[in-house]
Amino acid sequence: MSAQIQLQNVSHTYQNGFKALHSINLDIAAGEFLVVIGLSGSGKSTLMRTVNRLIQPNEGRILFEGRDVTSVRGDELRKHRASIGMIFQHFNLIGRHSVVDNVLYGALGGMSTTSAILGRFTTEQRDLAMSLLGRVGIADKAANRADALSGGQQQRVAIARALMQQPRLVLADEPVASLDPATAHSVMDHLEAINKEFGTTVICNLHFLSLVRRYATRVVALRAGELVFDGKPTDITEEWFRTIYGTEAEMM
Ligand code: ADP
Ligand code: MG
């Protein structure tokens, strides 16, 4: 069976001329928990954003479930993005809106424009939003303003919002970088549960080696926009880490 996601010679140069990705080749199978590591500025976010086409790479091809999505536009692009959930470092919730509304917004990409504009959610969608909040352990906060929640709770709302899309792939861009270690584990545990129970593919950018070892089924490393490692988390030795990342490895 072919990979769910295929990046073929993907390069990206930003408008200012900076080349952030250098001919990346990567096949990702459905159900993998792929962790991407690399120093700040190595291209992790850029790589992730080419997958859901927030960025259109200027060279190479991206295939999703066998379909070439490299340059899809309009309705096709909307559909592509709607099938992929995304989780950000800073949660990206609408702070003054309720927790449950934030979860419902996950469904907008899959709705007709009129229903989406009017915020006309069905009973089924509302039930699903509540059950997803229950799943991440914060159903009792549904009516609260999102900005009244702790960082860990807000990230769990963001996970519920991503699940609202019933995604086949979740992209998590440094989802725990703003959280303390205990909270980080709780958020990662939720991502792991989604991956294991629903078989949803997860691509997650991470900074901490301890988390990489604990959660990844596969690791790729970027350095200055190049793929410099692809293997099992157990194949990453401390020594390798220091060789690749130098003294900054201590921070990871
Ligand atoms: P990471 O997520 O690993 O920190 P990024 O993918 O955000 O790295 O960035 C990779 C490189 O591309 C960095 O050097 C960054 O400064 C540069 N970059 C990111 N976004 C832009 C942009 N919009 N315009 C120009 N350069 C950018
Ligand atoms: Mg980044």
Side-chain angles (χ1 to χ4, degrees):
M1 216 192 81
S2 71
Q4 184 185 28
I5 303 146
Q6 292 171 275
L7 302 183
Q8 300 173 344
N9 297 308
V10 169
S11 295
H12 187 64
T13 304
Y14 282 106
Q15 286 197 333
N16 66 358
F18 185 82
K19 191 163 185 179
L21 292 178
H22 297 258
S23 201
I24 304 289
N25 283 292
L26 187 59
D27 279 8
I28 304 160
E32 285 196 84
F33 197 120
L34 177 76
V35 168
V36 182
I37 60 173
L39 288 175
S40 181
S42 59
K44 303 182 296 298
S45 297
T46 306
L47 181 69
M48 188 168 270
R49 283 157 186 268
T50 63
V51 173
N52 66 351
R53 280 289 324 283
L54 287 173
I55 287 174
Q56 177 167 7
N58 27 43
E59 281 174 58
R61 291 210 312 162
I62 303 152
L63 305 183
F64 184 67
E65 297 174 346
R67 280 189 331 119
D68 189 332
V69 295
T70 319
S71 43
V72 288
R73 298 166 57 168
D75 214 41
E76 263 197 283
L77 178 57
R78 189 182 60 74
K79 279 200 193 117
H80 175 59
R81 287 190 186 146
S83 64
I84 302 174
M86 189 152 189
I87 294 162
F88 304 87
Q89 177 178 350
H90 297 294
F91 327 131
N92 291 22
L93 303 179
I94 302 182
R96 63 180 197 288
H97 289 194
S98 73
V99 163
V100 69
D101 279 350
N102 271 280
V103 176
L104 283 165
Y105 298 153
L108 288 173
M111 288 162 62
S112 77
T113 314
T114 330
S115 299
I117 287 170
L118 298 174
R120 253 193 234 138
F121 296 105
T122 63
T123 309
E124 287 73 30
Q125 286 173 319
R126 292 186 181 278
D127 289 349
L128 177 59
M130 282 308 299
S131 86
L132 292 171
L133 280 173
R135 187 191 163 82
V136 295
I138 42 173
D140 58 323
K141 307 281 186 210
N144 291 36
R145 275 174 65 127
D147 58 11
L149 270 53
S150 72
Q153 290 170 332
Q154 289 194 41
Q155 198 57 303
R156 285 189 273 157
V157 176
I159 291 173
R161 178 183 57 190
L163 291 181
M164 195 70 203
Q165 295 174 233
Q166 302 182 279
R168 299 189 293 281
L169 165 67
V170 168
L171 304 175
D173 196 354
E174 307 215 25
V176 298
S178 308
L179 306 174
D180 63 75
T183 312
H185 271 284
S186 129
V187 165
M188 290 302 297
D189 285 344
H190 283 294
L191 287 177
E192 183 178 52
I194 293 159
N195 172 253
K196 291 223 162 109
E197 287 168 38
F198 304 146
T200 312
T201 314
V202 176
I203 304 179
C204 181
N205 295 344
L206 278 182
H207 239 76
F208 294 99
L209 190 54
S210 58
L211 290 177
V212 177
R213 290 228 176 93
R214 166 70 185 77
Y215 295 98
T217 60
R218 178 183 172 195
V219 182
V220 298
L222 288 176
R223 187 172 53 180
E226 289 188 51
L227 206 69
V228 293
F229 176 86
D230 182 352
K232 293 197 190 72
T234 45
D235 295 338
I236 301 176
T237 61
E238 305 279 345
E239 192 188 358
W240 179 89
F241 216 61
R242 271 194 303 276
T243 316
I244 296 290
Y245 294 116
T247 49
E248 285 181 75
E250 251 71 64
M251 289 158 47
M252 301 183 91

